[in-house]
Amino acid sequence: MSVSESTRLVSTVTAEGVLQLTLQTVPIKALAQDEVLIRVAAAPLNPSDQAVLFAFADLSTGRMSGSAESPVFEADIPRPMLRMLGARIGKAMPVGNEGAGLVVDAGAGASAQGLLGRTVATMAGGMYAQYRSARAADCLPVPDGITPREAASSVVNPMTALCMVDAMTREGHKALVHTAAASNLGQMLNRICIEQGIALVNIVRKPAQAELLRGIGATQVVDSSDDDFMAKLTDAIATTGATLAFDATGGGTLASQILTAMEAALSRDGGQYSVYGSTTHKQVYLYGGLDRSPTQLTRGYGMAWAVGGFLLPNYLAKIGPTEVFKLFGQVMAGLKTTFASHYAQDVTLAGALQLEAIRRYSRQATGDKFLVTPNGD
């Protein structure tokens, strides 16, 4: 199939401190031997995409211009945030970490030719585009019977959930704590833990989210809006023995509260008192930024603790390709069950730039995930 150009969604930061979201038509370059050309059918709008998409802009200042076919969204970026974006100024950045579609052209190499005509999923980036070239090695063939829509979210959330469990095992923990736990990712993590018999403490922010998780079989769910949140969190951690947490909020006091509850749960077992606290290591990984405020730590949990960052590509590089493909095999086998994703609304490239759509999906609300369909499929 001969395709000469592709329309894609790009995010640009201007020197004046304005975010611009536009559609850009670019030529398609000749494929290298190991490359394929994907006609993108579906790509999810994940929280990780929005960090690049919105570049810390104040979306309350958002305004529209352009035409229905080629809309332009602009919003002002607060001056303190602009200093963090120096490397981005003036660059039109393609957006969309992952997606799925049909391979319509391929380089001459055997690995690329083997994917011609296949539906694939990839985390090649720049997936909010009609067509996207990618290395064959970065594409995952989708099993027969799985649609591109079902495969669109088969990398970021499923692999992150599996890697959380993998990290738990490798680091010698026996149970997990997860925040923003009613998200698509959180529901996947619950299904994995139920299937594998792993104890999981779920932290949510609303009663409806707690009920959603209990409805799919979660047994340890605590609501951070409750007055007795810390007491309930400590009880849940004591019951499960969790000493590893993954925090999607990133900012505020939640990481510190989790460490405090872990230490309080450990101290229930008694033993010799030490001013340095328990000797059991307690770990919180920050993997999201739902709360943009600074991370606040009030040290009341001894000396055996750590807070660090967790990023999926870094973890995949750490465990190596053999282990990565084992995990991908699990994902592909469970795309209709364990790793199924659900979307509240589909939008085209132009639709993703409409003011009302941006106001809605930027809230990152549970159960309100958007799917971009660049070709209107």
Side-chain angles (χ1 to χ4, degrees):
M1 179 179 179
S2 178
V3 182
S4 61
E5 60 183 23
S6 172
T7 299
R8 64 185 184 179
L9 192 160
V10 295
S11 171
T12 307
V13 173
T14 72
E16 295 74 30
V18 175
L19 166 73
Q20 293 180 338
L21 303 181
T22 59
L23 300 183
Q24 180 186 69
T25 299
V26 294
I28 295 175
K29 298 178 181 179
L31 298 174
Q33 280 205 340
D34 65 342
E35 288 184 325
V36 298
L37 184 66
I38 304 166
R39 182 185 184 275
V40 182
L45 264 161
N46 292 319
S48 56
D49 299 308
Q50 296 193 33
V52 177
L53 189 66
F54 296 133
F56 305 116
D58 178 358
L59 298 183
S60 69
T61 66
R63 59 248 181 212
M64 297 291 304
S65 60
S67 63
E69 297 77 19
S70 187
V72 176
F73 172 85
E74 292 187 333
D76 299 328
I77 300 172
R79 188 59 55 177
M81 295 298 184
L82 190 61
R83 291 196 293 269
M84 302 168 58
L85 299 166
R88 279 198 56 176
I89 290 176
K91 297 179 180 178
M93 297 189 64
V95 194
N97 285 328
E98 67 175 330
L102 182 69
V103 174
V104 295
D105 199 2
S111 61
Q113 285 292 314
L115 295 176
L116 190 58
R118 295 288 304 273
T119 295
V120 298
T122 184
M123 198 170 70
M127 295 301 290
Y128 302 155
Q130 291 176 314
Y131 294 89
R132 176 71 170 98
S133 59
R135 294 191 312 152
D138 294 331
C139 298
L140 302 168
V142 174
D144 292 341
I146 300 292
T147 67
R149 180 187 183 86
E150 292 169 325
S153 296
S154 60
V155 183
V156 174
N157 283 349
M159 289 296 287
T160 299
L162 284 173
C163 286
M164 289 175 176
V165 174
D166 186 80
M168 180 199 73
T169 302
R170 290 174 186 267
E171 296 180 15
H173 303 275
K174 68 176 185 179
L176 295 167
V177 178
H178 185 224
T179 73
S183 65
N184 259 328
L185 191 157
Q187 294 177 52
M188 289 180 188
L189 182 60
N190 267 278
R191 291 191 286 265
I192 293 168
C193 289
I194 291 169
E195 290 168 7
Q196 298 186 20
I198 297 168
L200 174 65
V201 177
N202 297 276
I203 299 177
V204 297
R205 294 176 290 180
K206 298 177 181 179
Q209 295 170 348
E211 289 308 306
L212 184 155
L213 289 178
R214 292 190 180 102
I216 64 172
T219 56
Q220 299 291 342
V221 186
V222 289
D223 185 343
S224 61
S225 67
D226 289 343
D227 292 338
D228 57 350
F229 166 62
M230 283 301 294
K232 289 179 177 177
L233 178 61
T234 303
D235 287 343
I237 289 175
T239 299
T240 60
T243 50
L244 174 64
F246 290 89
D247 179 22
T249 65
T253 62
L254 190 52
S256 189
Q257 289 175 300
I258 293 169
L259 290 170
T260 299
M262 286 177 176
E263 181 68 15
L266 288 165
S267 69
R268 288 184 177 182
D269 295 333
Q272 187 174 1
Y273 168 78
S274 170
V275 68
Y276 301 112
S278 70
T279 59
T280 300
H281 181 71
K282 302 165 289 294
Q283 176 72 51
V284 176
Y285 286 118
L286 310 181
Y287 80 96
L290 296 176
D291 184 340
R292 294 295 183 183
S293 66
T295 304
Q296 302 175 46
L297 300 178
T298 304
R299 292 176 55 185
Y301 25 80
M303 297 298 289
W305 61 273
V307 174
F310 184 89
L311 188 65
L312 178 62
N314 293 358
Y315 192 83
L316 297 180
K318 175 182 174 181
I319 65 177
T322 300
E323 294 301 315
V324 168
F325 279 105
K326 286 181 183 177
L327 296 179
F328 275 135
Q330 293 182 47
V331 174
M332 289 300 162
L335 278 181
K336 288 183 179 289
T337 53
T338 305
F339 302 108
S341 290
H342 305 283
Y343 307 100
Q345 185 168 326
D346 295 4
V347 287
T348 61
L349 292 174
L353 298 188
Q354 299 304 310
L355 194 60
E356 186 53 42
I358 289 173
R359 285 174 176 164
R360 182 173 164 187
Y361 65 70
S362 66
R363 296 198 308 263
Q364 301 180 26
T366 298
D368 209 18
K369 191 179 184 72
F370 275 45
L371 185 73
V372 178
T373 57
N375 287 286
D377 296 340

